[in-house]
């Protein structure tokens, strides 16, 4: 046979195809890999569904899911369709390529390369833009639900007379649609232009016409659509002025129209709207005229008008009309801003009352009596005494208390409400003696018991405990006391962040007291792990393979996670903003976590915005107490929902609290049957509900400026206040508000209140006092009392400085440091009293044998007079000079014992010095023994002796010398 060429001759090696078994194996492995990847992606979805079903809020999951899917599908398809149709149309309108230019010849290789895959390229491009657009749209599920379920506010803005719901619910959705339309127009324009260029409809370097008639018409329509959308944007911008934020030097952050907006920007937007409509019509007319001359002129006119009318003209109005007489011009708009802001934040009924701030110093006995009944002074500071709870009631290293305890009210032995400091003994995973997977997630699963102490007193009897320690009303393990019988196991808490698997073969450690006790969870919360599919899903979701094959998991096993109260409430109600401080209460035999939740919007016209994260921060804020905000910048807030989380079974209940809030009504329409009516709140629970701290902090920040209702005074800022820094904290952070049972001026009884102080802007003296009725059972719940101080009165920092300068304080601090102890200042409470202000501050010692804070002293100040005593009663007596407190007599007093002459002269002086020496020696001896009770008594005796010595010496120096014997004293005038 002849040689046919084509390469060297010789034997050929043929590569055989894989065997059928190998091909089957490869296909099986491929299918398994795909299934494994699909299962990994599915696991997160499935475990979420199981969790929502376990807490009985599956409707929240499904409503949110279907809303996201619907938005993804609709807007993804719309974007894909818009871009795809325009690419197809541009390709359809391509010119014939018989007379190709050099430019088109250079593009020929791209056309040839794409030609076999045109359909696939089109599908890939449209799919990509559709996926991106769909993902972006799905994130707007809140906006969609608020728009479609919006409830009217029943209030209209003062400029356009539109219901507030238009700005809160409608305008955000219209802006999203507008943004989507702009994106579709721009992407379609780019895609169509590139396609026309690739196929010759557009030319850049070739001589002659730059675009075919078909390309000109197509692109003109797209440009016309873009300009029409711009016209819509100008029209919506008119309404947007009512919720526009700007910097106004008179008020700082400003929302709403000002003079220049109403008289320059508003007419400018209307004119630009008309110009944009005309320009869009000119672009559409290109379909018939086939020229861009008029549209380009119109577009240029619109751009020029935007610069001149929309930018230059308002600047001229501001410069030459507003600035020369800004106060008068802006006054009507400032008034609108004041009214709207006060209404939006619920402070519209807060009116500042004048209060002198200085009491009558002559009414000492009456003031002492009033001080006793004015308030239940909380000497046990919940922000300080957590270490005492930890050391005295922790019991085991694997238990812990929060750094900041909570203040609540419980009925005392006398049947009256009593301010109580309470904390839960939660699980501390870091304190487990031996850390391993079984111990971390199966054995140590829960905390145990609520510990409570009196808020107004500490231990005073050495036989009942360490003097100065918290006076516990509920203590021990298991706990006993005034709370009665209740379920003490705590599976859900603020510190419980890890997952636990309970109810199965593996027993749980319950508590150790006189031997180890075990238990098995009987609650219905958590997700069942009895079937292998659920176990596999959680093994993937938690990246923990042992969940799949561990023998510790079996029939009845349930997995508990999302265990903090804030996590659970936020998950079942993702449309709520959660307060930073969940607090526990024992209600009807159960421990309930109470969580305050807010509805917010940033679309309230004219109401100034505030940043929640900054406004709610104070000296106690940490990651645990931070606000969980979906919308950090807001200008409307309501405490619309009170939520509870059962500490044993994790049950979440949402209760409607503000029955008039339109934002809550909107969300209740979107998620029906998730929020229970207010009437379902149990009376036992109602007794523990209180006014929330973060709401109060937002309101007090707004009231630093918006207590002023006169626009001229508001503009001048002459009466602006500020929230003072915490004088007991080294950091420059705001003083936290304090819960306190308090009797305000003009009231006959104490009310559980939340209080704070203000100082004038830039000055340390006291400017105002604010209290809100925090008792949910009170008919005046939520009412704000605002006392404007009309005299020069010391502010918190000044009072703290003055207290620190008291000689007894210096001696106390020096003696403490000599025993390696430190001083802790408690909450500086401010109480209006008889026209003045009474300051009360507990002082703690930490160190020595008891390395936890013990109440040792109470500092009190009234009318600029600070005292530092062993107890509140002594301090009140001393500051008011009654009940035997040492005070310089104004007139000679007869001796108390008429059978003995008064001790005077040298005898009194020597006796006082001897008593002082004895008291000093007794104090030093007590100090060495760390006997703080004896030391305090010795210090009091020493102080009294020194004061008697000084008085005797003064009396001796002023006493006239006796005349010589036998002579009469000189006669007076």
């Amino acid at each position: 046979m002849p040689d046919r060429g084509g390469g060297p001759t010789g034997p050929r090696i043929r590569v055989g195809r894989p065997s059928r078994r190998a091909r089957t194996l490869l296909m099986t492995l491929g299918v398994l890999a795909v299934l494994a990847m699909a299962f990994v992606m599915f696991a997160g979805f499935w475990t979420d569904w199981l969790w929502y079903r376990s807490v009985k809020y599956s409707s929240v999951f499904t409503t949110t899911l279907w809303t996201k899917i619907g938005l993804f599908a609709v807007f993804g398809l719309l974007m894909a369709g818009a871009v795809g149709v325009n690419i197809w149309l541009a390709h359809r309108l391509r010119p014939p390529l018989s007379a190709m230019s050099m430019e088109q010849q250079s593009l020929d290789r791209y056309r040839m390369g794409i030609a076999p895959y045109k359909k696939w390229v089109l599908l890939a491009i449209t799919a990509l833009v559709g996926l991106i657009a769909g993902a972006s749209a799905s994130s707007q599920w809140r906006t969609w639900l608020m728009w479609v379920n919006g409830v009217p506010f029943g209030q209209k803005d003062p400029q356009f007379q539109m219901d507030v719901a238009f700005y809160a619910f409608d305008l955000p959705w219209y802006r999203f649609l507008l943004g989507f339309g702009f994106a579709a127009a721009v992407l379609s324009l780019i895609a169509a232009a590139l396609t026309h260029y690739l196929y010759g409809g557009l030319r850049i370097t070739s001589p002659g016409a730059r675009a075919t008639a078909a390309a000109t018409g197509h692109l003109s329509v797209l440009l016309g659509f873009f300009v029409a959308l711009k016209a819509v944007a100008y029209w919506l911008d008119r309404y947007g002025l009512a919720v526009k934020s700007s910097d106004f030097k008179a008020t700082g952050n400003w929302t709403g129209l000002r003079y220049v907006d109403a008289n320059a920007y508003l007419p400018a937007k209307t004119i630009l709207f008309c110009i944009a409509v005309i320009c869009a019509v000119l672009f559409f007319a290109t379909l018939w005229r086939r020229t861009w001359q008029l549209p380009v002129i119109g577009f240029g006119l619109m751009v020029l008008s935007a610069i001149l009318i929309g930018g230059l003209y308002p600047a001229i109005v501001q410069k030459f009309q507003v600035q020369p007489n800004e106060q008068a011009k802006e006054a009507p708009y400032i008034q609108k801003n004041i009214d709207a802001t006060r209404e939006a934040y619920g402070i519209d009924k807060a009116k500042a009352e004048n209060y002198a701030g200085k009491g009558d110093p002559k009414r000492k006995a009456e003031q002492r009596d009033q001080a006793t009944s004015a308030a239940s002074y909380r000497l046990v500071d919940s922000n300080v005494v957590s270490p005492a709870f930890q050391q005295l009631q922790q019991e085991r290293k694997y238990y812990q208390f929060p750094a900041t305890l909570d203040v609540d009210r419980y009925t005392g032995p006398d049947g009256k409400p009593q301010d109580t400091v309470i904390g839960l003994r939660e699980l501390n995973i870091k304190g487990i003696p031996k850390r391993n997977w079984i111990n971390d997630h199966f054995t140590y699963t829960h905390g145990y018991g609520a510990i409570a102490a009196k808020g107004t007193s500490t231990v005073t009897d050495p036989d009942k405990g360490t003097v100065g320690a918290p006076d516990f009303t509920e203590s021990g393990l298991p706990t006993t006391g005034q709370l009665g019988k209740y379920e003490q196991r705590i599976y859900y808490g603020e510190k419980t962040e890890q997952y636990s698997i309970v109810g199965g073969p593996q027993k749980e450690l319950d508590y150790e007291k006189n031997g180890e006790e075990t238990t098995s969870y009987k609650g219905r919360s958590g997700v069942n792990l009895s079937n292998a599919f659920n176990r596999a899903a959680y093994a993937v979701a938690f990246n923990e393979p042992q969940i799949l094959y561990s023998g510790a998991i079996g029939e009845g096993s349930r997995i508990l996670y999302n265990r903090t109260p804030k996590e659970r409430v936020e998950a079942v109600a993702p449309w709520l903003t959660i307060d930073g401080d969940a607090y526990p209460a024992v209600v009807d035999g159960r421990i309930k976590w109470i969580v305050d939740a807010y509805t917010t919007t940033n679309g309230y016209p004219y109401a100034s915005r505030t940043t929640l994260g900054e406004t709610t921060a104070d000296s106690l804020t940490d990651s645990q107490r931070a606000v969980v905000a979906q919308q950090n910048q807001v200008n409307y807030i309501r405490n619309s929902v009170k939520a509870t989380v059962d500490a044993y079974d994790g049950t979440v209940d949402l209760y409607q609290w503000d029955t008039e809030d339109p934002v809550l009504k909107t969300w209740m329409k979107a998620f029906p049957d998730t929020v229970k009516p207010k009437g379902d709140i149990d009376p036992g629970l109602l007794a523990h509900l209180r006014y929330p701290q973060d709401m109060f902090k937002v309101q007090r920040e707004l009231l630093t400026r918006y207590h002023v209702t006169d626009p001229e005074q508001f503009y001048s800022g002459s009466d602006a206040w500020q929230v003072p820094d915490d004088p007991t904290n080294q950091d420059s952070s705001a003083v936290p508000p304090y819960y306190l049972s308090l009797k305000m001026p003009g009231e006959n009884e104490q009310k559980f209140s939340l209080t704070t102080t203000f100082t004038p802007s830039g000055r340390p003296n006291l400017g105002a006092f604010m209290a809100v009725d925090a008792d949910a059972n009170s008919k005046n719940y939520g009412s704000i009392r605002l006392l404007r101080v009309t005299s020069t009165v010391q502010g918190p920092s000044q009072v703290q400085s003055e207290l620190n300068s008291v000689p007894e304080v210096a001696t106390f601090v020096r003696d403490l440091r000599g025993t390696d102890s430190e001083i802790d200042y408690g909450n500086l409470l401010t109480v209006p009293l008889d026209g003045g202000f009474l300051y009360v501050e507990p002082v703690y010692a930490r160190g020595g044998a008891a390395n936890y804070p013990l109440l040792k002293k109470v500092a009190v100040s009234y009318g600029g007079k600070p005292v530092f005593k062993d107890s509140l009663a002594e301090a009140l007596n001393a500051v008011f000079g009654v009940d035997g407190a040492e005070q310089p007599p104004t007139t000679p007093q007869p001796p108390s014992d008429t059978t003995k002459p008064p001790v005077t002269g040298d005898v009194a002086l020597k006796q006082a010095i001897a008593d002082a020496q004895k008291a000093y020696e007794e104090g030093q001896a007590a100090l060495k023994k760390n006997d703080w009770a004896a030391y305090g008594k010795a210090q009091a005796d020493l102080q009294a002796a020194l004061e008697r010595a000084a008085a005797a010496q003064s009396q001796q120096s002023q006493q006239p010398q006796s005349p010589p014997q036998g002579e009469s004293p000189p006669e007076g005038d």
Side-chain angles (χ1 to χ4, degrees):
M1 296 291 290
D3 183 22
R4 296 180 181 276
T9 60
R12 293 185 177 181
I13 300 175
R14 298 185 61 187
V15 179
R17 297 177 62 190
S19 66
R20 177 173 294 183
R21 179 178 296 178
R23 292 198 304 272
T24 302
L25 178 62
L26 289 174
M27 290 180 63
T28 302
L29 291 175
V31 170
L32 290 176
V34 171
L35 290 176
M37 292 177 62
F39 185 77
V40 169
M41 292 186 290
F42 176 75
F45 165 82
W46 181 245
T47 54
D48 284 348
W49 161 248
L50 291 175
W51 186 87
Y52 275 96
R53 191 174 63 176
S54 73
V55 294
K56 297 179 174 58
Y57 282 88
S58 55
S59 63
V60 174
F61 179 82
T62 54
T63 299
T64 304
L65 177 65
W66 286 116
T67 302
K68 290 179 178 180
I69 290 175
L71 292 172
F72 179 91
V74 170
F75 287 95
L77 288 173
L78 284 175
M79 183 64 76
V83 174
V85 166
N86 279 284
I87 291 176
W88 173 82
L89 186 59
H91 179 266
R92 183 74 178 269
L93 297 175
R94 67 189 185 280
L97 300 176
S98 55
M100 294 181 61
S101 65
M102 294 297 295
E103 182 180 9
Q104 289 300 314
Q105 289 179 19
S106 65
L107 294 173
D108 188 54
R109 65 176 182 272
Y110 297 110
R111 287 193 294 269
M112 297 298 293
I114 293 174
Y117 312 104
K118 285 191 293 187
K119 292 182 179 180
W120 293 108
V121 170
L122 178 62
L123 286 175
I125 293 174
T126 55
L128 178 62
V129 297
L131 288 172
I132 295 173
S136 176
S138 66
S139 66
Q140 298 294 322
W141 64 271
R142 290 183 179 87
T143 308
W144 160 261
L145 288 176
M146 293 181 78
W147 177 69
V148 77
N149 295 288
V151 172
F153 275 66
Q155 299 168 329
K156 296 183 178 181
D157 77 284
Q159 181 67 41
F160 302 101
Q161 296 300 305
M162 302 286 287
D163 192 277
V164 173
F166 170 79
Y167 301 94
F169 307 142
D170 299 344
L171 192 58
W173 178 249
Y174 297 153
R175 282 177 165 167
F176 164 71
L177 292 179
L178 188 63
F180 179 84
F182 275 123
V186 170
L187 290 176
S188 297
L189 185 62
I190 293 172
L194 289 175
T195 306
H196 280 300
Y197 176 68
L198 184 62
Y199 287 97
L202 290 178
R203 301 179 180 88
I204 298 176
T205 61
S206 301
R210 300 293 185 188
T212 63
T216 299
H218 184 194
L219 296 180
S220 294
V221 170
L222 291 177
L223 285 170
F225 182 71
F226 179 87
V227 176
L229 289 175
K230 188 62 180 173
V232 176
Y234 282 133
W235 188 256
L236 288 181
D237 284 347
R238 299 169 68 255
Y239 300 104
L241 293 172
V243 290
K244 182 193 73 170
S245 289
S246 60
D247 186 26
F248 186 22
K249 66 180 182 180
T251 63
N253 183 23
W254 172 274
T255 300
L257 284 84
R258 290 156 51 191
Y259 180 88
V260 69
D261 297 311
N263 295 277
Y265 280 111
L266 186 57
K269 297 292 183 183
T270 305
I271 294 171
L272 289 171
F273 164 76
C274 297
I275 294 174
V277 170
I278 295 171
C279 187
V281 171
L282 292 176
F283 272 108
F284 291 136
T286 308
L287 284 172
W288 295 275
R289 293 179 56 85
R290 303 294 184 180
T291 176
W292 280 354
Q293 184 176 5
L294 286 178
V296 169
I297 293 173
F299 188 78
L301 176 62
M302 187 179 73
V303 173
L304 182 63
S305 299
I307 296 172
L308 296 178
I309 302 175
L312 185 59
Y313 174 62
I316 292 173
V317 171
Q318 178 68 26
K319 180 70 175 177
F320 295 102
Q321 291 190 33
V322 178
Q323 288 186 7
N325 191 19
E326 188 173 55
Q327 180 173 317
K329 294 290 187 183
E330 300 289 10
Y333 304 96
I334 293 176
Q335 188 65 63
K336 294 175 184 178
N337 176 265
I338 292 173
D339 295 341
T341 302
R342 288 171 60 88
E343 170 64 32
Y345 289 95
I347 56 176
D348 51 311
K349 296 180 181 178
K351 296 181 180 179
E353 312 167 28
N354 289 336
Y355 186 78
K358 288 188 176 181
D360 183 359
K362 297 179 181 179
R363 302 178 63 249
K364 298 184 181 298
E366 293 89 339
Q367 288 172 336
R368 173 62 176 83
D369 293 339
Q370 289 181 25
T372 304
S373 62
S376 296
Y377 303 98
R378 189 161 49 78
L379 300 179
V380 179
D381 186 354
S382 59
N383 312 315
V384 174
V385 299
S386 179
F389 274 57
Q390 192 80 1
Q391 188 155 333
L392 297 174
Q393 294 295 328
Q394 181 187 20
E395 301 289 351
R396 295 292 182 269
K397 287 182 64 178
Y398 48 81
Y399 292 134
Q400 64 179 327
F401 291 93
T404 299
L405 303 175
D406 290 291
V407 178
D408 202 348
R409 295 143 296 150
Y410 287 87
T411 302
D414 58 358
K416 296 180 180 180
Q418 175 180 281
D419 289 2
T420 302
V421 175
I422 187 170
L424 298 191
R425 189 191 283 123
E426 293 191 46
L427 180 66
N428 178 16
I429 197 74
K430 296 179 182 178
I432 294 176
K434 185 177 180 180
R435 299 290 302 277
N436 55 55
W437 188 64
I438 293 294
N439 277 347
D440 286 0
H441 300 288
F442 291 81
T443 305
Y444 295 87
T445 59
H446 59 279
Y448 209 98
I451 305 299
K454 294 178 181 179
T456 55
S457 63
T458 57
V459 174
T460 56
D461 186 350
D463 295 335
K464 295 182 179 179
T466 305
V467 174
D471 188 0
F472 293 106
T473 58
E474 183 79 18
S475 59
L477 181 66
T479 70
T480 57
Q482 72 176 36
L483 298 183
K485 187 177 180 181
Y486 65 98
E487 174 55 69
Q488 298 192 19
R489 297 171 184 86
I490 302 163
Y491 284 88
Y492 295 88
E494 289 182 301
K495 297 289 187 179
T496 314
E497 298 177 347
Q498 77 284 355
Y499 71 88
S500 291
I501 299 176
V502 298
Q506 182 71 36
K507 293 295 183 180
E508 310 162 44
L509 178 66
D510 205 23
Y511 61 86
E512 284 184 284
K513 191 65 175 177
N514 300 317
E516 185 175 294
E517 299 284 342
T518 60
T519 188
S520 186
Y521 185 65
K522 300 297 190 297
R524 298 301 301 167
S525 68
V527 178
N528 195 327
L529 293 181
S530 297
N531 68 74
F533 187 82
N534 286 356
R535 293 171 65 173
Y538 278 99
V540 171
F542 287 6
N543 195 25
E544 185 52 74
Q546 293 185 80
I547 294 178
L548 182 60
Y549 55 78
S550 174
I553 302 175
E555 188 66 30
S557 292
R558 310 180 73 82
I559 185 168
L560 313 180
Y561 62 105
N562 287 351
R563 298 171 71 181
T564 69
K566 289 197 290 185
E567 272 183 319
R568 295 180 78 78
V569 175
E570 186 186 23
V572 303
W575 33 273
L576 290 173
T577 296
I578 310 302
D579 188 271
D581 182 29
Y583 61 97
V586 178
V587 180
D588 297 331
R590 309 283 286 196
I591 298 176
K592 299 278 189 179
W593 287 101
I594 300 175
V595 183
D596 285 288
Y598 310 108
T599 47
T600 62
T601 180
N602 63 0
Y604 198 100
Y606 274 103
S608 290
R609 290 184 172 89
T610 188
T611 304
L612 288 181
E614 297 176 1
T615 305
T616 57
D618 59 31
S619 61
L620 301 179
T621 302
D622 54 24
S623 58
Q624 180 181 310
R625 297 173 69 92
V627 177
V628 181
Q630 296 291 347
Q631 200 174 39
N632 206 28
Q633 273 269 333
V634 304
N635 66 353
Y636 172 93
I637 185 170
R638 290 290 186 272
N639 177 211
S640 301
V641 171
K642 300 285 188 180
T644 63
V645 177
D646 192 290
Y648 180 73
D649 62 21
T651 300
V652 181
D653 290 313
L654 306 176
Y655 296 100
Q656 183 182 16
W657 185 248
D658 189 332
T659 57
E660 302 299 323
D661 177 32
V663 181
L664 178 61
K665 292 178 180 178
T666 295
W667 287 118
M668 289 176 68
K669 282 182 62 179
F671 296 96
D673 302 324
T674 57
V675 180
K676 298 180 180 180
K678 187 175 183 178
D680 286 0
I681 299 178
D682 184 86
L685 173 61
L686 188 65
H688 294 280
L689 299 183
R690 67 189 191 188
Y691 201 82
Q693 292 187 59
D694 287 333
M695 178 80 173
F696 184 80
K697 285 187 278 189
V698 170
Q699 291 176 323
R700 77 171 178 178
E701 181 64 31
L702 269 296
L703 281 170
T704 59
R705 291 176 293 142
Y706 286 94
H707 67 277
V708 177
T709 56
D710 178 73
E712 295 183 0
Q713 188 180 12
F714 188 91
Y715 177 87
S716 68
S718 60
D719 195 24
W721 300 334
Q722 65 186 21
V723 178
D725 291 338
D726 188 349
T728 66
N729 196 294
Q730 297 294 331
D731 299 330
S732 297
S733 48
V735 63
Y738 296 124
Y739 287 105
L740 181 70
S741 290
L742 171 71
K743 182 165 65 175
M744 288 290 287
E747 296 179 352
N748 297 322
E749 58 183 14
Q750 294 179 11
K751 293 181 179 178
F752 188 66
S753 305
L754 189 55
T755 66
T756 191
T757 55
F758 299 99
T759 58
S761 182
R763 295 168 59 196
N765 55 290
L766 190 63
F769 177 84
M770 175 182 174
V772 64
D773 188 340
D775 185 354
N777 276 314
S778 172
K779 63 180 181 180
N780 295 319
Y781 170 86
S783 61
I784 297 174
R785 291 284 304 275
L786 202 58
L787 305 181
R788 178 194 282 113
V789 180
T790 57
S791 304
T792 302
V793 180
Q794 290 177 319
S797 62
Q798 293 174 313
V799 171
Q800 186 67 55
S801 298
E802 190 174 55
L803 287 172
N804 292 342
S805 65
V806 174
E808 293 93 326
V809 175
T811 303
F812 179 69
V813 173
R814 184 180 66 249
D815 293 342
L816 278 181
R817 290 177 178 169
T819 60
D820 293 329
S821 299
E822 295 294 332
I823 188 171
D824 286 333
Y825 291 102
N827 37 225
L828 181 59
L829 303 176
T830 307
V831 177
L833 177 67
D834 195 30
F837 285 99
L838 179 70
Y839 289 93
V840 177
E841 182 177 50
V843 180
Y844 299 83
R846 181 202 302 260
N851 192 23
Y852 55 88
L854 295 172
L855 181 67
K856 291 301 177 184
K857 296 285 185 177
V858 178
V860 171
S861 178
Y862 185 79
K865 177 185 177 182
V867 298
F868 190 69
K869 297 296 178 182
D870 293 333
S871 67
L872 177 62
E874 291 181 33
L876 292 176
N877 287 339
V879 81
F880 293 114
V882 295
D883 292 345
E886 298 291 342
Q887 293 292 328
T890 56
T891 58
Q893 299 293 321
S896 57
D897 188 352
T898 57
T899 63
K900 296 180 180 180
V903 180
T904 59
D906 290 340
V907 177
L909 180 59
K910 291 178 181 179
Q911 182 66 47
I913 292 174
D915 291 345
Q917 180 65 30
K918 180 182 178 182
Y920 175 76
E921 292 173 354
E922 290 176 349
Q924 293 301 308
L927 196 60
K928 293 179 181 179
K929 298 177 182 178
N930 286 323
D931 187 345
W932 293 106
Y935 176 77
K937 183 178 182 303
Q939 290 297 301
D941 292 342
L942 175 61
Q943 180 67 22
L946 292 175
E947 289 178 357
R948 284 190 286 111
Q953 186 175 16
S954 175
Q955 182 181 7
Q956 188 179 31
S957 63
Q958 295 176 3
Q959 186 174 3
Q961 293 184 352
S962 300
Q965 189 174 5
E967 294 185 11
S968 300
E971 295 182 0
D973 293 337

